[in-house]
Structure formats: structure tokens, C-alpha cells
Amino acid sequence: QVQLVESGGGLVQAGGSLRLSCVVSGSRVSANAMVWYRQAPGKQRELVARITSGGSTNYADSVKGRFTISRDNAKNTVYLQMNTLKSEDTASYYCTATILYYDYWGQGTQVTVSS
């Protein structure tokens, strides 16, 4: 059974930083494409960052240069380092794992950036 548990969200002032974590059980993060999504109230879900099994990364234009996705294979954890946060980054952030063409989701963690 695959489970994903996010943590690290919270309230931060604009310009600050947060690091989100996604601990995965039931599958190896190194074997799967891992993606961070976010969704703000009234807005469509947005792909924020992806890391493939090969380690390639890509980002939404809105976060390039500010956010970094990484993984720790030993801890089976994926991270999203978020720097220079803006009010428009306020959203619920979700971690997903694509395994055999099926997307597993975590419960999400709330990030609120005050201006």
C-alpha cells in the first residue's frame, strides 16, 4: 500500500522560506516520478515541480529560480524548498507519486504567505 505524507507547511511572511517534505511508504521515491502540485481557493490545480526517476527536474514558470525539488533516497522522502515566497504562493500543496500510470496523492499541507 502506497502512502504519502506531507509536512512543513505553515504561515510565513513574504520573502521567507519553507521546506515541504513528502515521506513515501510502499514504494521507492527513486523509482517513480514525484510531483508537487498546489491549489489555491478558486483556482485550478497547478503543477509546481517534478522530479523523474532519473533525477531530471522541471518547474512551473512561476516558481523557477525560487523553488527546488529534491529527494533523499535513504529517507524515501521528496522535498520542496521554497524561497523568496510571495503571497501568490499561498495554496494547499500536494505530493504525488506516479506508479504504474496511477497517481497516488498525499493529504496536502497548507502554505500561507502573508504580505
Side-chain angles (χ1 to χ4, degrees):
Q1 183 179 2
V2 178
Q3 290 187 323
L4 290 77
V5 179
E6 301 101 329
S7 62
L11 174 64
V12 63
Q13 287 188 333
S17 298
L18 284 174
R19 188 177 77 158
L20 306 184
S21 300
C22 174
V23 179
V24 180
S25 58
S27 184
R28 292 180 293 119
V29 296
S30 60
N32 309 308
M34 302 295 300
V35 180
W36 284 98
Y37 288 93
R38 67 185 180 187
Q39 188 162 21
K43 294 188 178 181
Q44 286 193 331
R45 186 174 63 203
E46 176 186 24
L47 186 152
V48 176
R50 175 192 284 120
I51 184 167
T52 68
S53 57
S56 298
T57 59
N58 61 284
Y59 299 90
D61 287 343
S62 58
V63 306
K64 279 181 182 176
R66 299 189 298 122
F67 290 13
T68 303
I69 188 171
S70 63
R71 68 186 182 211
D72 184 328
N73 295 339
K75 295 182 178 180
N76 219 36
T77 300
V78 177
Y79 302 99
L80 185 68
Q81 178 67 44
M82 307 186 295
N83 298 328
T84 320
L85 283 160
K86 304 176 181 180
S87 57
E88 49 263 45
D89 295 318
T90 295
S92 293
Y93 284 71
Y94 300 89
C95 175
T96 72
T98 301
I99 303 170
L100 296 178
Y101 307 108
Y102 183 84
D103 290 337
Y104 292 85
W105 289 75
Q107 83 288 351
T109 186
Q110 177 67 35
V111 172
T112 303
V113 183
S114 63
S115 56

